[in-house]
């Protein structure tokens, strides 16, 4: 793990350290965040998982022949965005997941995209986001059309994919690698270190809290400042274990995955 969370070390040549990309996966409970994460990291589909565990993984990836140290935060907000700064001020890019067989989860993804748009406005930075319609294998129970997903993604200017954690790994890998490409493009545009932030966690005194102004769930933002920089808080993490993923090892360059306890993988 890098010494300072979220501080990208852009690779400046083949011998330099790999680019570090932090990817947060957002979405309502049950959308399939964890299943997609584990599919990407292990090529396996999990069937059950503790919904209250928030997990962060790291994996050495190669995207377009470039080494990337990828960290994936599988968030657990349950139903609405909460304590958002843990991922808003950590991630370089976001996957916003809903399930095509759940209108509720689709509406939840819209809240997350609104939150990201507000954060970008507040911080004057842009954060790549990809909208994912998951559980495509359940299309016969579809409650959200592909056109609706395309329209929502278009509204927020983000990429859109329909995927399934059950089906082929390559499609899921493609989506994660697209997120890395988007993050890399952004980091190359403004290779500043992530804006560290002061511990102030109230909205500016002259402004109503951001959520009140925009009716969003109780998300507090840290006001960003270069005046008194403070180390970003580390992401709360469960115990890390490192496993050799046999199938992943045989098929992919990244032999070692760092997974957190809490998953039952079948
Ligand atoms: N058929 C199908 N089921 C899926 C897919 N992705 C996830 N599931 C199932 O949907 C349920 C929820 O999946 P999770 O990955 O736990 O969803 P989550 O968004 O992480 O939900 P929380 O852990 O509660 O935050 C589980 O029973 C999964 O097995 C998919 O692509 N297809």
């Amino acid at each position: 793990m890098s010494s300072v969370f979220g501080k990208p070390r852009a690779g400046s040549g083949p011998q330099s350290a790999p680019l570090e990309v932090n990817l947060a996966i957002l979405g309502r409970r049950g959308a399939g965040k964890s299943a997609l994460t584990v599919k990407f990291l292990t090529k396996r589909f999990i069937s059950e998982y503790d919904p209250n565990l928030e997990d962060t993984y790291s994996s050495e990836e190669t995207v377009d022949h470039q080494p990337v140290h990828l960290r994936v935060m599988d968030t657990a907000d349950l139903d609405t965005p909460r304590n958002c700064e843990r991922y808003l001020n950590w991630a370089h890019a976001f996957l916003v997941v809903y399930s095509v067989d759940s209108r509720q989860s689709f509406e939840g993804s819209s809240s997350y995209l609104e939150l990201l748009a507000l954060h970008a406005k507040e911080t004057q930075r842009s954060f790549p986001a990809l909208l994912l319609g998951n559980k495509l294998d359940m299309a016969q129970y579809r409650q959200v059309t592909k056109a609706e997903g395309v329209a929502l993604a278009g509204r927020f200017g983000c990429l859109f994919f329909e995927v399934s954690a059950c089906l082929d790994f390559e499609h899921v890998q493609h989506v994660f690698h697209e997120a890395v490409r988007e993050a890399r493009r952004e980091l190359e545009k403004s290779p500043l270190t992530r804006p560290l932030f002061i511990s102030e966690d109230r909205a500016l005194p002259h402004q109503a809290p951001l959520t009140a102004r925009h009716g969003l769930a109780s998300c507090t933002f840290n006001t960003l400042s270069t005046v008194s920089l403070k180390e970003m808080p580390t992401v709360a993490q469960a115990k890390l274990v490192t496993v050799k993923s046999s199938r992943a090892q045989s098929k992919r360059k990244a032999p070692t995955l760092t997974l957190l306890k809490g998953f039952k993988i079948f």
Side-chain angles (χ1 to χ4, degrees), residues 25-38 45-53 55 74-79 97-99 101 133-139 141 163-167 172 263:
I25 307 196
L26 311 175
R28 272 180 72 97
R29 177 178 3 194
K33 301 181 294 295
S34 310
L36 283 169
T37 304
V38 174
F45 174 59
I46 57 167
S47 170
E48 56 181 278
Y49 155 72
D50 176 352
N52 301 304
L53 261 187
D55 303 306
D74 171 18
T75 63
D77 273 350
L78 300 183
D79 292 328
V97 184
Y98 69 90
S99 173
D101 65 348
N134 187 37
K135 305 192 189 180
L136 185 56
D137 57 297
M138 303 281 277
Y141 305 107
V163 292
S164 167
C166 276
L167 300 178
V172 172
F263 275 110

Side-chain angles (χ1 to χ4, degrees), residues 145-158:
T145 66
K146 183 171 185 175
E148 288 177 292
V150 170
L152 181 61
R155 210 174 103 210
F156 288 93
C158 56

Side-chain angles (χ1 to χ4, degrees), residues 122-140:
E122 292 282 321
T123 58
Q124 297 297 304
R125 288 173 62 89
S126 65
F127 298 90
L130 286 73
L131 179 63
L132 305 184
N134 187 37
K135 305 192 189 180
L136 185 56
D137 57 297
M138 303 281 277
Q140 70 269 36

Side-chain angles (χ1 to χ4, degrees), residues 2-8 22 71 73 84-92 94 119 125 127 193-199 222 224-225 228-236:
S2 75
S3 54
V4 175
F5 252 143
K7 188 166 187 165
N22 298 340
R71 290 186 204 86
M73 184 196 294
C84 310
E85 64 276 10
R86 75 189 188 284
Y87 46 76
L88 289 178
N89 292 310
W90 176 80
H92 300 118
F94 299 89
H119 182 54
R125 288 173 62 89
F127 298 90
T193 54
R194 300 278 305 153
L196 298 183
F197 62 98
I198 53 177
S199 56
N222 290 289
L224 296 166
S225 156
S228 60
L229 297 185
K230 187 169 179 234
E231 192 78 279
M232 287 179 70
T234 55
V235 170

